[in-house]
Structure formats: structure tokens, C-alpha cells
Amino acid sequence: MYPIVRLLKDAVIASRQPRLAPLDTHVSRHHCWPWDIDIWMELNNGRTLTLYDLGRTMLTLRTGLAGVLKREGWAVAVAGTSIRYRRRIKAFERFEMKSRAIGWDARFIYVEQGMWKANGDCANHALLRTVVTDNNGIVPPERVIKAWKQDINSPTLPDWVQAWCDAEDKRPWPPMADEDAGRDDVRLASAS
């Protein structure tokens, strides 16, 4: 179930915090509650994605992008995600989440998010490829920036982000059917 109460609480907190510039970092603090855990008594990976969703939502509120999206009738969607899990967040443990846009290209806005334990260890880290959409499909980031009345260019994407983008561009879409999964001739044909 989507954490509506947590969403509302975070929205109230974000509305009282100072405005952020488009490339600033939104920081939020959380607890791992019993409804967030898996059978090993730690933060469930699915809930991690949901909490990241809340972090991005608050980021759009604090930067003023949410108002632009509402005015234009646009929505935001995730077009790809890569997550590294390195430390467990256990039941009732406190953690901090950081969310920021790190740049964009002709189609996508790239967002970096991480969850940090009280001892300073990064528990997990995500890179997301997001899109702004309207009824016709993807709204180019340049158009979003213009509607947002921001006079900024994208920073150069870090090498590790560009490498991920390059790898994603090589991934076949649509994915191979199960009956073709073991056949080299099908894999080679789809790659060309």
C-alpha cells in the first residue's frame, strides 16, 4: 500500500523548508517502520523504491517544479533505475535520504538518491532516468526548464552516469521472449 500518511507528512515538512535551486539536494529523515520491513526485519527493497519516490516528490515541491507540472498539465515518470544495496537498514532504524537532479540530456532528467545510516554509511544508492510527460509523450527537458523560468544548462553528466546511459542504450527493447532467451542467433540479431 502506498504510504499516503507519510506522503502528507513529508509534504507538510517540505512546504515549511526553504526553497531549493534546481540542482540542490533535498534531505529528509525517516525511520524504518514495521510496515517497511521484509521477513529479515530490514527495509524491503520495494519500499526503498517507494521512499525514493517520496524523496523525488518533495524535491519537486521544494524546487518549485511541482507548480510548473501542475500548471502545464505534465506528469513525471521513471524511465529507468539502477540501485546498489550495500548496508541493511533494520526495523526502527533512523536514516537520512538525499535526492537531487544531476543533469539532463535531450529526453531524460537524471536523479541521484541515497539512504544514509546514522553512522555515515551509505545503505543504498540509486540513479534514475526520469521523464516529464504530457498527452503527446515526453516533454524535452529544455522545454521544462523554459516553463520553469530557469536560466540553467545541464552540468556535464558524470562518467559513471554516461556509462550507464550507454549500457541502457544497448539493452534490447522490447525484451526477448522467454523461448528465445537461450538462442545466440536471436540475441545477435536483436543487438544489430
Side-chain angles (χ1 to χ4, degrees), residues 71-84:
R71 182 185 74 228
E72 299 292 333
W74 295 339
V76 177
V78 172
T81 306
S82 176
I83 300 183
R84 280 187 173 174

Side-chain angles (χ1 to χ4, degrees), residues 30-51:
H30 305 272
H31 282 89
C32 179
W33 296 116
W35 43 87
D36 298 329
I37 61 174
D38 57 23
I39 60 173
W40 292 278
M41 304 295 288
E42 62 189 47
L43 183 62
N44 175 279
N45 64 319
R47 182 59 85 172
T48 299
L49 288 170
T50 301
L51 293 174

Side-chain angles (χ1 to χ4, degrees), residues 46-79:
R47 182 59 85 172
T48 299
L49 288 170
T50 301
L51 293 174
Y52 277 148
D53 186 49
L54 293 179
R56 290 188 310 280
T57 301
M58 299 315 123
L59 180 65
T60 64
L61 287 171
R62 290 193 62 202
T63 60
L65 179 58
V68 176
L69 298 171
K70 184 177 179 182
R71 182 185 74 228
E72 299 292 333
W74 295 339
V76 177
V78 172

Side-chain angles (χ1 to χ4, degrees), residues 15-166:
S15 71
R16 295 176 180 168
Q17 293 176 314
R19 265 307 200 40
L20 294 175
L23 298 171
D24 285 351
T25 302
H26 169 68
V27 179
S28 55
R29 288 161 189 81
H30 305 272
H31 282 89
C32 179
W33 296 116
W35 43 87
D36 298 329
I37 61 174
D38 57 23
I39 60 173
W40 292 278
M41 304 295 288
E42 62 189 47
L43 183 62
N44 175 279
N45 64 319
R47 182 59 85 172
T48 299
L49 288 170
T50 301
L51 293 174
Y52 277 148
D53 186 49
L54 293 179
R56 290 188 310 280
T57 301
M58 299 315 123
L59 180 65
T60 64
L61 287 171
R62 290 193 62 202
T63 60
L65 179 58
V68 176
L69 298 171
K70 184 177 179 182
R71 182 185 74 228
E72 299 292 333
W74 295 339
V76 177
V78 172
T81 306
S82 176
I83 300 183
R84 280 187 173 174
Y85 296 93
R86 292 296 184 262
R87 300 283 182 267
R88 294 176 173 171
I89 296 176
K90 299 193 177 195
F92 302 105
E93 191 173 351
R94 295 179 64 147
F95 61 94
E96 188 174 82
M97 183 168 51
K98 298 178 183 180
S99 307
R100 72 181 183 123
I102 54 176
W104 52 91
D105 58 24
R107 296 177 62 202
F108 303 109
I109 300 169
Y110 298 92
V111 178
E112 176 183 26
Q113 294 184 277
M115 292 183 183
W116 300 81
K117 296 168 65 77
N119 67 2
D121 284 348
C122 184
N124 55 68
H125 179 260
L127 172 63
L128 297 102
R129 174 185 264 185
T130 65
V131 291
V132 174
T133 62
D134 64 13
N135 292 334
N136 300 312
I138 294 175
V139 178
E142 276 187 24
R143 186 171 159 210
V144 175
I145 298 297
K146 187 175 180 182
W148 197 0
K149 296 181 178 25
Q150 297 291 327
D151 186 23
I152 56 172
N153 295 315
S154 175
T156 301
L157 293 173
D159 290 344
W160 63 274
V161 175
Q162 191 58 57
W164 179 71
C165 294
D166 294 343

